[in-house]
């Protein structure tokens, strides 16, 4: 019997993206550039995170027309963002046939207490995390893919580094624990016990974990792979740079060959100015997107 | 021990490496032409075929793989790997590796919400084999000498052309190793054949 929307089908989709780069795009033209550069998927948005920051106000799901335009422009998978806890935005994106939904802190949360019950949907979800507790709660709700949060739209990698190191250190700790220690660890992390049992059994997270937020150069992308990411999301970094086509290609190559430093040197030459960065310390607490999610 | 490479530019590399090890062979992650040396066979994994193709070009891997395959190296492609192997891809002017005498159509089951899993009966391999189809391609038609091994919903999803094997789905996402075992048998047969030829000279 044919089964759709199973855990294996949803998680498997993310497995196929491993080692790749997922790029934020706001129209068909950018989507085509991303596809031609070797992106494994695109994230269709109304504004990239750095512009969401500038615009201020409430950031919502993109205009379905933009999502549709991007879906028609490329053959690679198309992702789109729904607000945290916004059941209807997620259902609308699912009905449109989006390949993956990002329940994203980049948008203004619709619910400050509950995330979506993602296991209820046929479409798979990716969610952000800053530590293993958050990661495991999202998996518990049915997320099929994770991305460690950075501080989106800043072009500053420091938060992404902090969070991938933290999640991976906590995963290693769980893997090396005795089984009788897992329940207390679950309590301390605020993590579902069953997810920790699965992590210990597999020796890794049970879903793919990409890095996101603040990737601005090929070396940044390679750094995230070095630190154990399964792949990289690049938001504002590409289309806010001087030469998006060249930049996109270089980021894809650096992600694949993250240990080939001579090659990274070569592809980083004369890339033009990357996006202008923001020092995280200059952001007010209310401007920090990473703290959204519970 | 047989050495089987997995093209490791992007996609389900880890899963294929684990399956190769599970059936008692040595797995090699292939990122450059150097890694192709001394392989008994090669697996082209699932992933995004457009992305893998770009990376094959950038790393000058397309021609070396094609040459080795034409000289007799067995190749197995799953999903994106099948698209790379196909002699013709619907809607594309030229094929990628163009090794297998089949016509393949991409994303032929729809988008991700239409992705599915099912159990298949596969000729020469077995029954109740779990098959995970993710934004899967299918084989539209095959050449005269291609053996159709499995169909689903009247579409060809697994076929063999001489020393090439290609499927629409992802055996690597399951615990079942019967398909990879079949590929290992193919490698052994082909090694024997090429050795026999050498003996005959």
């Amino acid at each position: 019997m044919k089964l759709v929307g199973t855990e294996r089908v949803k998680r498997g989709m993310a497995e196929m993206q491993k080692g790749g780069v997922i790029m934020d795009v706001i129209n068909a033209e950018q989507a085509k550039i991303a596809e031609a550069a070797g992106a494994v998927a695109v994230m269709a948005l109304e504004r990239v995170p750095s512009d969401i920051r500038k615009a201020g106000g409430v950031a919502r799901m993109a205009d379905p027309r933009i999502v549709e335009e991007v879906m028609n422009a490329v053959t690679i998978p198309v992702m789109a963002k729904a607000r945290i806890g916004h059941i209807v935005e997620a259902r609308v994106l699912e009905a449109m046939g989006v390949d993956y939904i990002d329940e994203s802190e980049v948008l203004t949360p619709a619910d400050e207490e509950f995330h979506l019950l993602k296991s209820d949907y046929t479409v798979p979800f990716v969610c952000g995390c800053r530590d293993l507790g958050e990661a495991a709660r999202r998996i518990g709700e049915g997320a099929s893919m994770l991305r460690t949060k950075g501080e989106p739209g800043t072009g500053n990698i420091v938060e992404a580094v902090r969070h991938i190191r933290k999640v991976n250190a906590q995963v290693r700790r769980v893997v090396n624990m005795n089984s009788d220690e897992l329940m207390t660890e679950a309590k301390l992390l605020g993590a579902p016990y069953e997810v920790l049992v699965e992590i210990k059994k597999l020796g890794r997270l049970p879903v793919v974990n990409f890095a996101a937020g603040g990737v601005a150069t090929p070396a940044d992308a390679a750094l995230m792979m070095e630190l154990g990411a399964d792949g990289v999301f690049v938001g504002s970094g590409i289309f806010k740079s001087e030469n998006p086509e060249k930049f996109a290609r270089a980021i894809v190559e650096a992600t694949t060959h993250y240990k080939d430093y001579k090659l990274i040197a070569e592809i980083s030459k004369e890339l033009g100015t990357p996006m202008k960065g923001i020092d995280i310390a200059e952001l007010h607490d209310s401007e920090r997107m990473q703290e959204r999610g519970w | 021990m047989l050495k089987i490479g997995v093209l490791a530019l992007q996609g389900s590399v880890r899963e294929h490496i684990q399956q190769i090890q599970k059936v008692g062979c040595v797995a090699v992650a292939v990122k450059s032409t150097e890694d192709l040396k001394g392989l008994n066979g090669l697996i082209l994994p699932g992933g995004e075929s457009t992305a893998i193709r770009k990376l094959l070009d950038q790393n000058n891997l397309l021609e070396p793989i094609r040459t080795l395959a034409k000289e007799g190296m067995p190749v197995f492609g799953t999903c994106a790997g099948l698209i790379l192997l196909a002699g013709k891809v619907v809607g594309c002017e030229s094929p990628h590796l163009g090794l297998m005498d089949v016509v393949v159509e991409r994303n032929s089951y729809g988008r991700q919400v239409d992705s599915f899993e099912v159990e298949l009966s596969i000729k020469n391999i077995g029954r109740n084999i779990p098959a995970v189809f993710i934004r899967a391609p299918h084989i539209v038609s095959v050449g005269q000498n291609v053996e159709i091994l499995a169909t689903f919903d009247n579409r060809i999803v697994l076929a063999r052309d001489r020393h090439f094997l290609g499927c629409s789905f992802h055996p690597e996402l399951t615990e079942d190793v019967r398909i990879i075992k079949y590929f290992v048998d193919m490698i052994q047969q082909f090694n024997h054949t090429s050795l026999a030829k050498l003996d005959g000279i």
Side-chain angles (χ1 to χ4, degrees):
Chain A
M1 205 182 58
K2 184 172 156 176
L3 299 169
V4 297
T6 61
E7 192 169 82
R8 185 150 66 180
V9 166
K10 294 199 282 185
R11 289 182 178 182
M13 160 76 198
E15 301 289 351
M16 297 309 139
Q17 304 264 297
K18 283 199 303 261
V21 181
I22 299 170
M23 301 181 191
D24 279 359
V25 298
I26 58 163
N27 54 39
E29 184 201 349
Q30 290 189 353
K32 281 182 180 149
I33 292 173
E35 183 176 48
V40 290
V42 289
M43 177 77 73
L45 291 167
E46 204 158 313
R47 295 193 189 99
V48 294
S50 65
D51 288 336
I52 289 176
R53 256 180 212 295
K54 271 188 219 145
V58 175
R60 309 177 180 91
M61 171 184 87
D63 181 336
R65 194 190 49 80
I66 295 177
V67 179
E68 210 170 66
E69 182 189 317
V70 170
M71 283 166 64
N72 291 334
V74 293
T75 61
I76 55 175
V78 176
M79 301 187 172
K81 290 184 196 289
R83 281 180 269 176
I84 291 174
H86 204 307
I87 299 165
V88 174
E89 282 188 355
R91 287 294 183 194
V92 166
L93 292 172
E94 181 180 51
M96 289 178 69
V98 161
D99 296 298
Y100 234 93
I101 297 177
D102 185 359
E103 186 184 18
S104 177
E105 68 282 1
V106 170
L107 305 181
T108 312
D111 191 323
E112 294 193 330
E113 199 174 357
F114 303 111
H115 280 253
L116 295 166
L117 184 60
K118 293 163 278 283
S119 52
D120 258 9
Y121 294 71
T122 305
V123 67
F125 280 83
V126 55
C127 284
C129 62
R130 286 174 301 165
D131 56 39
L132 186 54
E134 203 174 1
R137 289 194 295 279
R138 298 296 86 82
I139 295 170
E141 292 155 357
S144 311
M145 178 182 191
L146 294 169
R147 48 175 178 75
T148 46
K149 293 177 183 172
E151 190 53 48
T154 60
N156 190 336
I157 197 74
V158 65
E159 297 299 307
V161 168
R162 188 193 321 281
H163 299 140
I164 195 136
R165 277 200 181 271
K166 176 131 193 223
V167 170
N168 286 341
Q170 289 175 314
V171 167
R172 282 195 298 274
R173 205 177 118 83
V174 166
V175 171
N176 290 316
M177 275 182 168
N178 289 331
S179 295
D180 57 8
E181 295 168 335
L182 290 180
M183 185 57 86
T184 297
E185 185 69 2
K187 178 183 142 194
L188 295 173
L189 290 172
Y193 170 73
E194 294 70 22
V195 175
L196 296 194
V197 171
E198 201 180 356
I199 290 170
K200 179 163 172 61
K201 193 178 121 209
L202 292 170
R204 57 172 170 82
L205 284 167
V207 302
V208 165
N209 185 21
F210 272 44
V215 175
T217 66
D220 283 349
L223 172 63
M224 300 320 294
M225 297 302 286
E226 180 77 45
L227 293 176
D230 289 317
V232 181
F233 279 91
V234 187
S236 322
I238 290 170
F239 292 99
K240 287 288 166 189
S241 73
E242 211 171 286
N243 187 343
E245 279 157 46
K246 205 171 161 193
F247 218 86
R249 269 202 311 274
I251 288 199
V252 169
E253 266 217 80
T255 304
T256 306
H257 298 286
Y258 64 94
K259 280 187 186 293
D260 189 340
Y261 309 117
K262 277 187 185 158
L263 178 99
I264 295 171
E266 207 49 49
I267 58 179
S268 301
K269 281 179 189 164
E270 291 167 5
L271 274 183
T273 327
M275 68 177 285
K276 189 177 176 302
I278 302 174
D279 187 344
I280 308 294
E282 285 173 15
L283 291 176
H284 290 292
D285 286 354
S286 62
E287 294 174 312
R288 287 158 69 94
M289 294 173 174
Q290 56 174 285
E291 263 121 61
R292 299 163 169 178
W294 12 93
Chain B
M1 235 194 300
L2 290 178
K3 255 171 85 173
I4 303 177
V6 180
L7 184 67
L9 298 174
Q10 190 271 313
S12 54
V13 178
R14 177 178 70 208
E15 291 77 3
H16 273 297
I17 288 179
Q18 282 167 350
Q19 283 214 333
I20 290 169
Q21 290 165 344
K22 225 162 138 182
V23 295
C25 298
V26 177
V28 180
V30 175
K31 282 198 172 195
S32 67
T33 45
E34 198 65 17
D35 303 323
L36 288 166
K37 282 184 186 158
L39 295 182
N40 299 100
L42 178 67
I43 290 179
L44 309 174
E48 282 310 316
S49 61
T50 49
I52 296 176
R53 170 61 197 269
K54 300 283 168 211
L55 290 161
L56 277 170
D57 288 341
Q58 281 162 3
N59 297 285
N60 301 317
L61 273 165
L62 201 69
E63 274 312 316
I65 291 175
R66 192 182 279 146
T67 308
L68 286 170
K70 283 191 170 163
E71 280 171 6
M73 177 177 69
V75 185
F76 175 27
T78 64
C79 193
L82 165 68
I83 295 167
L84 295 174
L85 272 177
K88 187 174 179 352
V89 181
V90 176
C92 296
E93 273 172 35
S94 57
H96 302 292
L97 287 161
L99 293 164
M100 217 175 145
D101 191 8
V102 297
V103 179
V104 165
E105 189 184 337
R106 299 180 57 206
N107 297 337
S108 38
Y109 295 86
R111 304 197 70 97
Q112 171 59 19
V113 283
D114 308 305
S115 294
F116 60 96
E117 55 180 299
V118 72
E119 285 190 348
L120 296 176
S121 286
I122 301 177
K123 192 178 161 191
N124 305 336
I125 299 181
R127 302 176 69 82
N128 301 328
I129 295 178
V132 186
F133 290 76
I134 294 176
R135 290 172 43 92
H138 87 285
I139 300 172
V140 180
S141 62
V142 300
Q144 237 176 4
N145 299 314
V146 178
E147 189 179 10
I148 296 168
L149 297 175
T151 59
F152 177 70
D153 268 356
N154 298 317
R155 287 175 159 178
I156 304 163
V157 295
L158 174 62
R160 173 176 176 176
D161 175 11
R162 296 158 294 149
H163 54 298
F164 303 126
L165 185 68
C167 65
S168 305
F169 51 92
H170 297 282
E172 74 274 18
L173 287 179
T174 72
E175 301 294 310
D176 198 301
V177 291
R178 282 176 284 178
I179 297 177
I180 178 95
K181 269 193 181 145
Y182 178 82
F183 180 59
V184 172
D185 288 345
M186 268 173 63
I187 294 176
Q188 275 160 343
Q189 283 166 18
F190 263 84
N191 277 355
H192 292 312
T193 331
S194 48
L195 284 176
K197 268 188 205 156
L198 285 176
D199 287 344
I201 294 168

